[in-house]
Amino acid sequence: MKKFVSKVLTTLSNLFFPSNFSCLFCDNDVEKGKIICNECLQDASFNKGKRCILCDMPICGDGDVCDFCISHHKAFDKAMAPCLYADKAKNVVIRLKTKSEKYLAPKMAQLMATRFLEENLSVDVIVPVPLSNRSMEKRHFNQSQLLATELSKILKVPVTNSLTKTKETSSQKDLNFVNRQKNLNGAFSVTDKKSVFGKNVLLVDDVITTCATSNECAKTLKKYAKRVYVLAFARRDYKNL
Ligand SMILES: [Zn+2]
Ligand SMILES: [Zn+2]
């Protein structure tokens, strides 16, 4: 009887949530252990080409650093993102954030962990980019926190929520980097300094755009932390804003 009930529950849950053996991007079946189907692996939304060594922005030409990083100092040590904010990857971000399809987070975190492990960096603690109280009330969950929790399970690194957003800020949508930075100035604070003191921190977000948010978070964390690396699911091209 127990077995039957569990089978019914699994079948029912598969009706509402695609199984673990479905592609993150298109929900089609994939082989065990795979996250993306062969067709979607060809999708343009992977951040695979030549990228800026500081912010993971796709670049062309001879240099290793993008124009933006040359002209704007970054408080973090390095940012990484396995996908571009485009096509199927963009759709996944929107599904998680606005449709609360939380079952996507473990697979998104798998892709993020793979990208992070390519760099051979060592981190002591994971910190999600926090939402303000107003945004939390509106959305009821923080997508970055979900991703951080899943990453913690994969990387076996603890999560701390000691970074908080203490200032309500207006929407960043129509602002350029300088104005985004001004808008966020002093918006974050660290509640438990010990949790990040002298440590290498992995700051986790769903999307990085101009890096204004991750930069302000890193600036705040770096008052205590040794290094701050940023890991997001998708990298948005700031030139396409
Ligand atoms: Zn697919
Ligand atoms: Zn850059």
Side-chain angles (χ1 to χ4, degrees):
M1 185 64 183
K2 252 186 184 172
K3 242 184 178 176
F4 174 75
V5 172
S6 126
K7 207 173 171 191
V8 169
L9 285 176
T10 309
T11 314
L12 275 176
S13 92
N14 283 349
L15 277 177
F16 295 105
F17 306 107
S19 78
N20 284 334
F21 308 124
S22 63
C23 171
L24 170 65
F25 286 166
C26 72
D27 288 342
N28 282 339
D29 288 347
V30 286
E31 292 162 41
K32 194 177 175 183
K34 288 202 172 164
I35 298 165
I36 308 286
C37 74
N38 288 339
E39 196 183 311
C40 290
L41 276 178
Q42 313 305 320
D43 192 70
S45 50
F46 288 102
N47 194 10
K48 270 183 186 160
K50 188 181 176 191
R51 287 156 288 169
C52 169
I53 53 166
L54 288 175
C55 75
D56 237 8
M57 182 70 201
I59 47 171
C60 33
D62 294 331
D64 290 327
V65 179
C66 74
D67 293 345
F68 198 66
C69 284
I70 291 171
S71 52
H72 300 82
H73 170 74
K74 301 282 166 46
F76 54 77
D77 295 84
K78 183 175 182 63
M80 297 149 276
C83 297
L84 297 170
Y85 190 69
D87 302 317
K88 293 175 179 176
K90 180 178 175 180
N91 189 33
V92 165
V93 171
I94 293 171
R95 280 166 66 194
L96 174 66
K97 193 157 31 190
T98 62
K99 296 184 183 163
S100 306
E101 294 185 38
K102 296 180 190 171
Y103 64 88
L104 297 167
K107 287 179 190 169
M108 292 168 79
Q110 284 278 359
L111 290 186
M112 292 164 79
T114 306
R115 175 68 191 92
F116 172 72
L117 292 171
E118 279 172 14
E119 297 291 336
N120 258 327
L121 299 168
S122 132
V123 288
D124 307 300
V125 69
I126 297 174
V127 175
V129 168
L131 289 180
S132 67
N133 287 343
R134 196 169 61 192
S135 304
M136 258 319 245
E137 270 168 32
K138 223 166 92 185
R139 207 180 296 153
H140 304 297
F141 78 101
N142 176 358
Q143 70 282 359
S144 304
Q145 169 132 39
L146 271 185
L147 295 170
T149 306
E150 294 303 327
L151 275 165
S152 168
K153 291 181 205 164
I154 303 167
L155 301 174
K156 311 275 184 261
V157 174
V159 182
T160 173
N161 294 312
S162 55
L163 185 68
T164 54
K165 193 168 183 192
T166 43
K167 200 172 96 179
E168 293 291 347
T169 48
S170 45
S171 168
Q172 302 270 84
K173 237 173 100 195
D174 301 314
L175 303 177
N176 63 18
F177 176 78
V178 175
N179 287 330
R180 281 178 184 224
Q181 204 75 85
K182 272 188 198 157
N183 189 33
L184 287 169
N185 199 18
F188 300 97
S189 70
V190 178
T191 51
D192 176 11
K193 299 168 180 70
K194 243 201 224 158
S195 65
V196 293
F197 190 81
K199 293 187 175 168
N200 289 351
V201 173
L202 184 62
L203 180 70
V204 170
D205 207 352
D206 56 345
V207 181
I208 35 179
T209 307
T210 61
C211 297
T213 303
S214 32
N215 199 46
E216 185 62 28
C217 288
K219 210 171 86 187
T220 310
L221 287 163
K222 277 247 175 131
K223 289 178 190 164
Y224 318 101
K226 194 164 132 199
R227 292 203 172 85
V228 177
Y229 303 111
V230 182
L231 180 60
F233 176 72
R235 181 76 179 86
R236 191 172 188 179
D237 190 338
Y238 50 79
K239 294 193 282 298
N240 292 342
L241 278 179

